[in-house]
Amino acid sequence: MKILVSDKLSEEGLEILKDAPGFQVDAKDGLKPEELKEIIKNYDALIVRSATKVNKDLISAAEKLKVIGRAGVGLDNVDLAAATDRGIVVMNTPAGNTISTCEHTMSLLLSLARSIPQAHNSVKKGEWKRAKFMGVELYQKTLGIIGLGRIGTEVAKRALSFGMKVLTYDPYLSKEAAREIGVEASDLDGILKNADFITVHVPLTDDTRHMISDKEFAVMKKTARILNCARGGIIDEAALIRAMKEGRIAGAALDVFEQEPPDPNSEIFKLDNIITTCHLGASTEEAQVNVAIEVAECVRDYLLGKGIRNAANYPRIDSELYKILQPYILMGEKLGNFSSQIIEGGITGVDIQYSGDITKYDAASITMAIVKGLLTPILKEAINFVNAIPLAKSRGIQVRETKVSVDEEFVNLISIKVSSDKETREFAATLSPKREPRIVKIDGFYVEASPSGYLLTMKNWDKPGIIGNIGTLLARHKINIAGITLGRKEAGDVAVSILNIDNPVSPQVLEQIRKLENILYVKLIKL
Ligand code: NAD
């Protein structure tokens, strides 16, 4: 695997890549666009910060490229659509600077409450105006957090430890998510009217641009103070200036601006009660090392086939959540692949049902893995996590997902009903207490098989001697049986059997099995 690192990356990140087996890492920052375009065709992975422009032109020359890693969050320098079209995964490192940005928010919160920068400047000038810098306590005040994602959540935890009451607004999260961290979910109006401090931690989108403007300032408390450590433009700067001038709110702290760097003559800098920093949220030594390590690990793991994380053109999973979801993702892919090898005819739809533990999480990545698994036997290398769902759609395959919080039999269960133009079949898998995947149901028959290696899947009459006959036949061909599972609904009726075997079975041997007494159907599956 050849990895090109075309911007400066902390040594800690480079070391991770260099230590990976079979990786050749070239750290070449400062290349001109035409130089980069010339050499990119040789590389499997590209790692950048913000300087390298990964545009359509560059991507079209990247014949072997599988993954682009961005050490940091912003993807303004990467053409996501072009990468997705080529099936190239784009990963960033949104979690690496969470704590730094949260701590910066807390610094600004305290600075706002106690006018620290203003007092510092005053003392430096030789003044001693204690009355002028009378502050307010955070204790028992209400903090309104808009956007309860990674940073918002960390800010909430710290605010609670200061004895603040925390109200949150995040319409994409359930009320339970807020309750779980001990804060109260509110609507936006509730925050605007009741909060003493308001902090925004949402992405900048069409919905969030100027989400705090004249109308919102008008309903805030006159003593309210507002912070933006997210993205410039979420707070309407012109409206903020008006609100401050008219005394409609008491103060503001901005780390980010609509235009960066901002115009030094902006009114913002003439107002005493606005404190500012220069987009420093992520600027700590730790965050820089964190993002380098995070991007290196994500890219390495992806190239080694150990799964996909933090992909921007793939559902975002942070490291903690990935640890929880990874076995389900692997299981989902195997279940999809297994089903696809069994079902006859062209697949037209898949109904996925998640039940038990797994329903607490966003299952989009598992759905994607199931679809990838389903299409892998059909499309091989052309299918990947990035293009699985769009490809399924373009092939007319309907993908439906439902969740049932409890399953009566299994702590967690993924069931899929796969329909084709010929038949509809049902399969289900669960994670064992050791977090190992098990296929546990086929068409309503209970089985217990490990979805790995070679599996002989059969339907047979439930009669004595069948397994013995197959065992003898396989032994004759030196094929070892590693595990057997047998499921039946009624004694003597049809049964389903799965044999995990150590080596593949030739078509001739398969034909001999098919001809054995009481065998209705047999298929060799390879996972
Ligand atoms: P995140 O994706 O973990 O969380 C964002 C949250 O906002 C999500 O929970 C989402 O549901 C919510 N949200 C989206 N639209 C919303 C809306 N209209 N109303 C209310 N909630 C909404 O992101 P994060 O890592 O916590 O980052 C938050 C922000 O901080 C981002 O804008 C990010 O770019 C910015 N950031 C800034 C710095 C800096 O240097 N100042 C550093 C890192 C991140």
Side-chain angles (χ1 to χ4, degrees), residues 73 94 97-98 101 146-152 169-173 201-205 207-208 211 229-231 234 255-256 279-283 316:
V73 187
N97 50 32
T98 299
T101 310
I146 300 175
L148 193 62
R150 282 174 288 262
I151 298 169
Y169 169 63
D170 193 324
Y172 302 103
L173 278 182
H201 298 287
V202 294
L204 179 66
T205 63
D207 279 349
T208 62
M211 76 185 291
C229 284
R231 281 287 177 263
I234 296 166
D255 181 46
V256 287
H279 204 144
L280 293 181
S283 296
R316 177 164 289 164

Side-chain angles (χ1 to χ4, degrees), residues 466-477:
I466 289 185
I467 297 299
N469 287 345
I470 293 174
T472 311
L473 202 155
L474 292 178
R476 223 186 298 138
H477 294 277

Side-chain angles (χ1 to χ4, degrees), residues 195-246:
D196 301 294
F197 294 86
I198 296 173
T199 179
V200 294
H201 298 287
V202 294
L204 179 66
T205 63
D206 288 345
D207 279 349
T208 62
R209 188 180 303 279
H210 289 189
M211 76 185 291
I212 306 294
S213 190
D214 292 305
K215 188 161 70 71
E216 287 72 28
F217 284 121
V219 292
M220 288 182 196
K221 290 181 179 177
K222 281 204 159 53
T223 50
R225 291 167 170 86
I226 190 158
L227 297 92
N228 187 1
C229 284
R231 281 287 177 263
I234 296 166
I235 297 177
D236 176 349
E237 280 175 12
L240 172 66
I241 293 165
R242 284 192 287 276
M244 291 295 297
K245 277 185 168 170
E246 292 164 17

